Amino acid sequence: MSNGTFSSQFQANDGFNVNGGGWTSFDKYPRQLADVNGDGRADIVGFGEDAVFVSLGQSNGTFGSQFQANDGFNVNGGGWISFDKYPRQVADVNGDGRADIVGFGENAVFVSLGQTNGKFGSQFQANDGFNVNGGGWISFDKYPRQLADVNGDGRADIVGFGENAVFVSLAQSNNTINGGSGNDILNGGAGNDTFKGSQGNDNINGGDGIDTVDYSQLGQTITLSGVGTIQKAGGLGQDQLFKVEKIIANANVANNTIDTSQSLPEVSITVNLQTQSLAANNVPVLGTLSFTAINFDNVIGTNANDSIVGDNQNNQLSGNNGNDTINGSSGNDRLIGDSGTDLLTGGSGNDIFDFNSVSESKPGLLQDVITDFVGNGNLAGDQIDLSTIDANPFIDGDQAFTYIETAAFSAVGQIRYVGGILRGNTNFDFDADFEIQIQGAPALALFVVAGNPTSDIIL
């Protein structure tokens, strides 16, 4: 009551007691009270034989039916056999308004963050002290450890009563969370959090702050999609990311790819692999979303007008649909404008400008432009690859083009080059069906023939 007294007692739940579930000892099966789902009401958290169970507080002062909330921090789930030896407390350590489990184990302090559904996420190591082997905290009875916000930042801190002093470890806003194997729901809450990318289909919510998902130790290639998923090679699963600002791939594996081809209509990207920056533009309601993308090699653009810049690796950069601007920077890159009217710059290195359909560079004002083509004959240099285009669709199979230099078209499947425009014909009207503008009108090698892999034009 408001005068500091309590009303008459009433039955609030039929579980979590000696005859209602076999909760015979607090030391073996501790039970705590805290608001685990952020609704302002305290809930029961019971550490049982095989799981952690929760019963949510109701507005009438009773508790709802119990449900399994976590498979750790219990007798058979981690060997938490005694509260005196391995105490477990419940308090909000990350400031998100939901109580979290803090377990003082054999070699470390472990945390499992509270979720909005009343459950707890995967446990992670949060501190290497205040435990049996980390400081000799062998008994809660002798060396109790409590949780409370001692510095007023909204996050519960560890307060340990030791042999000769009281010790405090302040809760940090920046968590490091590792879900391990399995399909996990991971929430960072407030602060700048780091999630360790691992095996399984994980749902990762960074929450407030500048949050990172780090796949650098995964040992597999990853693909970041335009809808916030991470596909992990080697059958390791797919993650869904939300409110994550930095993604780190493994630099020791090839072909880490940013693939935004499934982005929403009108959304475009501005990506620079050299500066490790990625921006999604024109996102409905949100506008521009900026990210940091580290150790990515390849990019596939959206259906809108993208700007894509490579780095010093050998990148594969594809514009997809839209009128794209692509710059390979340094390295031996493969540039694919795809549909639309594209501006292609190879940069330094021996680059390949890859065309796979006559519709990718249409005649006249719709032609793609290559800004810096340097073909060096039989030496290393840039190349234009037309080998996947069927030069004569009227004949079975995939036919190669014939290079006729400056001569007029006289047959199906010919390529001619005049005044810096490379033109190709694939039908009997003997007009150009596609055109590629090569700025500066550089000379092409005279030995452009099918089957020559060092030719300036791969026919």
Side-chain angles (χ1 to χ4, degrees):
M1 310 295 285
S2 58
N3 62 0
T5 64
F6 295 93
S7 69
S8 299
Q9 71 179 36
F10 57 90
Q11 183 172 327
N13 190 276
D14 59 4
F16 297 101
N17 58 81
V18 175
N19 294 323
W23 300 78
T24 57
S25 164
F26 184 86
D27 184 60
K28 189 173 185 181
Y29 307 125
R31 283 135 284 173
Q32 305 283 8
L33 295 174
D35 179 10
V36 301
N37 63 343
D39 64 358
R41 296 189 291 267
D43 312 299
I44 298 174
V45 181
F47 299 85
E49 184 80 16
D50 299 300
V52 177
F53 297 93
V54 165
S55 183
L56 297 177
Q58 309 299 301
S59 58
N60 63 357
T62 63
F63 296 94
S65 299
Q66 73 178 38
F67 57 88
Q68 182 172 329
N70 191 277
D71 59 5
F73 297 102
N74 60 82
V75 174
N76 293 325
W80 301 77
I81 58 174
S82 165
F83 183 86
D84 185 59
K85 189 173 184 180
Y86 307 126
R88 283 137 285 170
Q89 305 284 16
V90 186
D92 180 12
V93 300
N94 64 342
D96 64 357
R98 297 187 296 269
D100 314 299
I101 297 173
V102 180
F104 299 84
E106 184 80 17
N107 298 299
V109 177
F110 297 93
V111 167
S112 182
L113 298 176
Q115 313 295 302
T116 56
N117 61 0
K119 297 183 178 181
F120 298 94
S122 300
Q123 73 178 40
F124 58 90
Q125 182 172 329
N127 191 280
D128 58 6
F130 297 100
N131 61 82
V132 174
N133 293 326
W137 301 77
I138 58 174
S139 166
F140 185 85
D141 182 63
K142 187 173 184 179
Y143 306 123
R145 283 136 285 171
Q146 304 287 1
L147 300 175
D149 180 11
V150 301
N151 62 343
D153 63 359
R155 297 185 294 269
D157 313 298
I158 298 174
V159 181
F161 300 85
E163 185 79 23
N164 299 301
V166 177
F167 297 92
V168 168
S169 181
L170 298 177
Q172 306 299 297
S173 59
N174 308 328
N175 302 311
T176 298
I177 304 172
N178 188 341
S181 60
N183 304 328
D184 304 304
I185 299 175
L186 307 175
N187 287 279
N192 304 327
D193 307 305
T194 298
F195 300 84
K196 296 295 184 180
S198 56
Q199 185 174 353
N201 302 319
D202 300 323
N203 191 308
I204 299 174
N205 185 337
D208 296 333
I210 306 300
D211 303 303
T212 300
V213 181
D214 184 357
Y215 295 93
S216 63
Q217 303 303 311
L218 186 65
Q220 293 287 346
T221 295
I222 64 171
T223 299
L224 168 64
S225 81
V227 293
T229 62
I230 292 284
Q231 187 66 46
K232 296 171 281 192
L236 296 188
Q238 177 176 285
D239 296 343
Q240 178 68 56
L241 309 185
F242 181 67
K243 289 189 175 181
V244 170
E245 291 74 29
K246 180 186 290 186
I247 302 95
I248 303 175
N250 187 337
N252 296 318
V253 299
N255 297 317
N256 292 306
T257 300
I258 299 170
D259 181 356
T260 60
S261 59
Q262 301 302 312
S263 297
L264 294 172
E266 307 305 323
V267 172
S268 67
I269 59 169
T270 302
V271 58
N272 188 320
L273 298 182
Q274 190 70 50
T275 61
Q276 302 174 334
S277 61
L278 167 64
N281 310 304
N282 305 316
V283 179
V285 180
L286 301 175
T288 298
L289 299 177
S290 298
F291 305 90
T292 301
I294 299 176
N295 299 331
F296 284 87
D297 314 301
N298 306 326
V299 178
I300 301 173
T302 69
N303 293 316
N305 305 332
D306 303 312
S307 174
I308 301 172
V309 179
D311 58 13
N312 58 4
Q313 303 178 91
N314 300 331
N315 308 123
Q316 180 165 305
L317 310 175
S318 174
N320 200 26
N321 298 324
N323 303 327
D324 306 306
T325 301
I326 305 177
N327 187 327
S329 192
S330 55
N332 302 328
D333 307 306
R334 181 176 290 270
L335 279 64
I336 307 168
D338 216 323
S339 300
T341 302
D342 306 306
L343 184 67
L344 308 175
T345 301
S348 59
N350 305 320
D351 305 306
I352 296 176
F353 301 88
D354 191 352
F355 296 85
N356 299 289
S357 169
V358 296
S359 65
E360 291 184 9
S361 187
K362 297 178 180 179
L365 296 177
L366 300 178
Q367 62 192 210
D368 285 358
V369 177
I370 299 174
T371 68
D372 63 344
F373 186 84
V374 180
N376 289 323
N378 60 349
L379 302 175
D382 297 334
Q383 295 178 293
I384 298 173
D385 187 354
L386 308 177
S387 62
T388 56
I389 301 176
D390 186 2
N392 189 342
F394 304 100
I395 301 176
D396 289 340
D398 187 2
Q399 312 302 314
F401 285 101
T402 300
Y403 183 57
I404 58 174
E405 300 184 28
T406 61
F409 291 129
S410 59
V412 176
Q414 294 179 328
I415 292 289
R416 63 191 301 262
Y417 179 60
V418 179
I421 306 295
L422 186 68
R423 296 178 171 89
N425 166 266
T426 59
N427 61 52
F428 288 102
D429 62 9
F430 301 147
D431 285 333
D433 295 303
F434 70 89
E435 294 180 350
I436 303 168
Q437 181 186 153
I438 307 175
Q439 285 187 349
L444 299 182
L446 298 180
F447 61 98
V448 176
V449 293
N452 180 7
T454 63
S455 169
D456 287 350
I457 304 175
I458 304 173
L459 300 175

